[in-house]
Amino acid sequence: MLLETGSEAALDIQHIKRDGTRWFHKLQLAKHALSLPVDIYLHSTPVSSSSSSSNTDLSPERVCFPSLTEDIIRRYVLQYFNTYHVLYPLLDEDGFWNDHLVHVLRYGFGDRDFSSTLCLLVLALGKVAEVAHFAEPISRSHGRPSGLQLDAPEHPPGLEIFNEALKRLGFVIAQCSIENIQATLLTSWYHLDLDLQQTGINDFEGEVSLPTFEGSKDNTKQKNRNVEAERASIQLPFLAMIAMRQLTTSAHAAIHDAATSRAESAEHYGGPPIHVIAELSRQLENWRAVLPNALQWIDEERMVISGSRGTTQPVLFSFNPPADGSRVNYKYNIDIVTAQLRARYYYARFIIYRPFVYKALHYPYSTSAQDAEGVVTCLESALSWPIIMYPPKAKKRLIPFLFAWTQNIIGILLILRMSLEDNMLGRISRKRIPQVAVEETVKLMLDWIQDVKQEDGAAEWCWQIVQPLYKDLFREGELS
C-alpha cells in the first residue's frame, strides 16, 4: 500500500527495519542541525554585599537579573507548578517555595548552590508553560492555529534562563544529593532526551516502590483540607500514570514474545495469543476499576471531565476549538493530565488487541467471530483520543514526549487506512465502527502530524507517508 503511493518516504521502510529508533533520531538531528545557542544569557548585576554578608555559606559572587523581577519569578514558578509539576511531581512544592525560592530572592543567584540551579530550571520551564498558554502560534494552516508557540523565532522560550542554569550545573553535578537528581531531570525536560544507549536503570523499575509523598503531608494541627485535596489531584494521576506505564510496557513485551514464539506462515499460524490477550486485558481493566472516583470515566463520555456528569458544563474535550477563538486554561493542567491518562489507557488497549487486526489482514478466511470482536475493540480503542483534541492540542509544548505520540499516531493512521482498503477489515469496520468517528479521528491525527512536523523531523517524514494515503479523502489543498 505504501509503495503504491509513489512516496519516496515509503522507500525508507527497509532502513527503519534495520536501524529502528536510531533512524528517526537521525531525522531529528537533520531537522535541527544547529545546536541551541549557548551565548544567550540574562543580563546580571552583582548583589550588594550587605544582602549576602549575613550568610557565610554563600558563594562570594552572587547576582540578580533585572529582567527577572520578583513578580515575574513568582509568576513563572506558579506556571511551572500548575503545568509540569502536575504531570511529574518531582519537587516538594512547599519546600521549593519556602526554602529554595526564599533563598534566591533574599541573597540572589550564586554559582555553586543547588537553590540557584533548581530555581533557574524551574523558571525556564515556567516561561515555556506561559508561552504555551498565552503566546501567538508559530503558524496557521487553513485557518487553524498551530498548537506550538514561540516567544521569538531564533530560540526556544526560556533559553536565556536555561543557559544560566547550565552555567551553574557544572559546579554542583558531582555532588551526591537528591537535588542533583532533581536538577538533572529538570534539565532533561527542557532539553529533549537524546536516543542514546540505555543506561539499564529502567531494569530496576519493578523493584522501586511507588512514591508515598510523605514529605508533602501537612502534619500541623490546623491542616488545610483544601490544600490536601489539591495535592491529591496531583498525586493520584501521577501514581495512575506510573502503573499504566508499567502495564503498557508489559503488554508490548508479552505480545511481542508470544508473536515471535509462534510460526507465522500460512500453514502454521495459530492466530492471536488468546490467553495472553485475555490476561493483559484483565490487568488493564483492573487498573481502570481501581482508579479513584476523581479519575473514573465511561467510554461513552470520554470527553467529559471526571466526576462532572450531571453538571451544566461537563465537556472537557472537543473536536473543534472555541468558536470565539479563546484559549481555555484549566487549573493544575487538568485537561492535559486527564487527556494523557485516558489516551494512554486506550493506547494500551489498542496494543493488546492489535494481533486480531493482523489476523484479519493476513488470514481473512480463518477470521472467526471472536477474532472480529477483537478487531472491533482494537479499532474502537484507536478513536477519539482526548490528547489530540482541544484544548490539549492547542498547547502541545505542555504534552510530554510529543515524538512518542506522533509515532503512535502514524501506526493508527496506517491501520485506519487499511480499514478502508482491505475487504475483511473494511467489512468489520463499516458494520461495527461509527464511520463519522473514524473520519473525525483521522482529521485530528493528520492535523497533529501536520502541525508537529514544523519542528519534528520524524513527524515531517511521517507526513510524507500519510499525506498521499489520505489525500483522496479531503478537498484539494486541505492537506499540504
Side-chain angles (χ1 to χ4, degrees):
M1 180 180 69
L2 293 177
L3 294 177
E4 292 174 357
T5 65
S7 170
E8 294 184 2
L11 302 177
D12 296 323
I13 299 299
Q14 294 302 321
H15 299 290
I16 297 174
K17 289 181 178 180
R18 184 189 64 204
D19 298 334
T21 306
R22 289 190 300 273
W23 190 85
F24 286 100
H25 180 220
K26 293 177 182 177
L27 287 181
Q28 187 66 8
L29 291 178
K31 182 76 172 180
H32 301 282
L34 299 178
S35 302
L36 290 175
V38 295
D39 56 349
I40 298 176
Y41 296 109
L42 293 167
H43 172 66
S44 63
T45 58
V47 173
S48 61
S49 57
S50 59
S51 301
S52 57
S53 59
S54 59
N55 193 329
T56 58
D57 294 332
L58 298 176
S59 57
E61 298 179 0
R62 300 186 72 84
V63 299
C64 63
F65 305 107
S67 61
L68 288 179
T69 64
E70 182 172 345
D71 288 342
I72 292 176
I73 288 175
R74 293 185 179 277
R75 194 176 76 218
Y76 286 168
V77 172
L78 281 172
Q79 286 289 349
Y80 168 82
F81 281 105
N82 200 34
T83 53
Y84 292 103
H85 178 71
V86 181
L87 295 169
Y88 297 102
L90 173 65
L91 303 175
D92 175 55
E93 186 171 0
D94 290 340
F96 184 87
W97 283 102
N98 297 328
D99 297 328
H100 297 302
L101 189 61
V102 168
H103 184 80
V104 298
L105 289 177
R106 180 176 300 170
Y107 302 113
F109 295 86
D111 287 339
R112 297 174 176 83
D113 67 275
F114 274 114
S115 290
S116 299
T117 306
L118 286 176
C119 284
L120 287 167
L121 290 170
V122 166
L123 294 176
L125 288 166
K127 185 172 183 178
V128 173
E130 184 171 272
V131 167
H133 278 120
F134 302 111
E136 287 298 311
I138 62 176
S139 66
R140 292 180 180 271
S141 176
H142 306 289
R144 299 187 303 270
S146 168
L148 300 170
Q149 297 81 21
L150 279 177
D151 61 342
E154 65 272 10
H155 61 76
L159 180 62
E160 66 284 358
I161 307 176
F162 180 70
N163 283 343
E164 291 289 347
L166 286 186
K167 282 173 35 178
R168 292 157 174 80
L169 196 60
F171 289 109
V172 297
I173 197 139
Q175 300 182 31
C176 183
S177 66
I178 188 66
E179 289 86 358
N180 190 1
I181 298 174
Q182 292 171 330
T184 303
L185 289 174
L186 288 170
T187 303
S188 71
W189 288 358
Y190 186 89
H191 196 295
L192 202 59
D193 288 337
L194 297 178
D195 182 32
L196 302 177
Q197 184 178 357
Q198 295 187 12
T199 62
I201 193 173
N202 56 306
D203 295 336
F204 295 94
E205 182 177 30
E207 301 179 25
V208 179
S209 60
L210 294 176
T212 60
F213 297 102
E214 291 182 357
S216 299
K217 292 182 179 179
D218 187 353
N219 295 318
T220 61
K221 294 181 180 180
Q222 297 179 341
K223 182 179 295 184
N224 189 324
R225 293 186 178 180
N226 291 331
V227 171
E228 292 301 313
E230 289 179 350
R231 286 173 177 166
S233 69
I234 296 174
Q235 295 165 5
L236 293 178
F238 180 67
L239 294 174
M241 198 74 70
I242 293 176
M244 171 54 66
R245 181 189 179 280
Q246 294 173 342
L247 200 155
T248 304
T249 302
S250 298
H252 268 291
I255 294 293
H256 179 268
D257 292 343
T260 55
S261 64
R262 291 163 169 246
E264 297 200 353
S265 66
E267 296 82 9
H268 300 99
Y269 176 64
I274 301 296
H275 65 289
V276 174
I277 291 175
E279 173 58 22
L280 291 173
S281 179
R282 185 195 66 78
Q283 294 178 20
L284 181 64
E285 296 310 315
N286 182 65
W287 170 89
R288 184 172 178 179
V290 300
L291 285 175
N293 290 334
L295 302 180
Q296 290 282 354
W297 80 96
I298 60 176
D299 289 335
E300 294 76 15
E301 297 182 359
R302 67 183 66 180
M303 289 188 269
V304 173
I305 192 170
S306 301
S308 66
R309 292 193 294 275
T311 62
T312 56
Q313 294 180 327
V315 177
L316 180 60
F317 308 106
S318 63
F319 287 96
N320 300 308
D324 59 1
S326 61
R327 296 183 184 178
V328 181
N329 296 316
Y330 291 95
K331 188 176 182 180
Y332 296 125
N333 219 19
I334 192 63
D335 50 341
I336 292 180
V337 171
T338 303
Q340 182 175 233
L341 191 67
R342 296 181 187 180
R344 289 199 178 198
Y345 163 81
Y346 289 116
Y347 173 69
R349 195 168 72 174
F350 168 80
I351 290 296
I352 291 172
Y353 284 89
R354 190 168 54 181
F356 291 106
V357 173
Y358 178 89
K359 183 175 181 180
L361 286 172
H362 295 275
Y363 307 99
Y365 297 109
S366 61
T367 299
S368 64
Q370 182 185 18
D371 296 330
E373 290 297 324
V375 171
V376 171
T377 302
C378 179
L379 294 180
E380 286 179 341
S381 302
L383 303 178
S384 305
W385 287 1
I387 199 76
I388 60 175
M389 298 181 183
Y390 289 96
K393 67 172 294 184
K395 299 179 288 186
K396 291 188 177 72
R397 290 200 185 278
L398 300 182
I399 300 176
F401 308 114
L402 280 179
F403 61 91
W405 288 110
T406 299
Q407 293 180 31
N408 296 338
I409 285 171
I410 187 175
I412 288 176
L413 284 172
L414 293 176
I415 287 181
L416 292 180
R417 182 60 188 181
M418 288 304 301
S419 72
L420 302 176
E421 300 284 341
D422 182 78
N423 290 333
M424 174 59 71
L425 199 58
R427 190 182 312 132
I428 297 172
S429 176
R430 289 187 296 272
K431 185 178 180 180
R432 300 288 303 279
I433 305 296
Q435 295 304 295
V436 173
V438 173
E439 183 176 339
E440 289 175 335
T441 298
V442 167
K443 287 182 178 179
L444 286 171
M445 289 186 169
L446 288 173
D447 183 70
W448 174 287
I449 296 179
Q450 187 178 23
D451 188 20
V452 176
K453 74 181 178 69
Q454 298 177 91
E455 294 196 355
D456 189 327
E460 189 174 36
W461 178 86
C462 291
W463 182 251
Q464 297 178 51
I465 292 291
V466 298
Q467 194 266 354
L469 292 176
Y470 283 98
K471 64 180 180 181
D472 60 318
L473 301 181
F474 298 92
R475 295 188 301 273
E476 175 113 14
E478 191 170 358
L479 293 180
S480 58

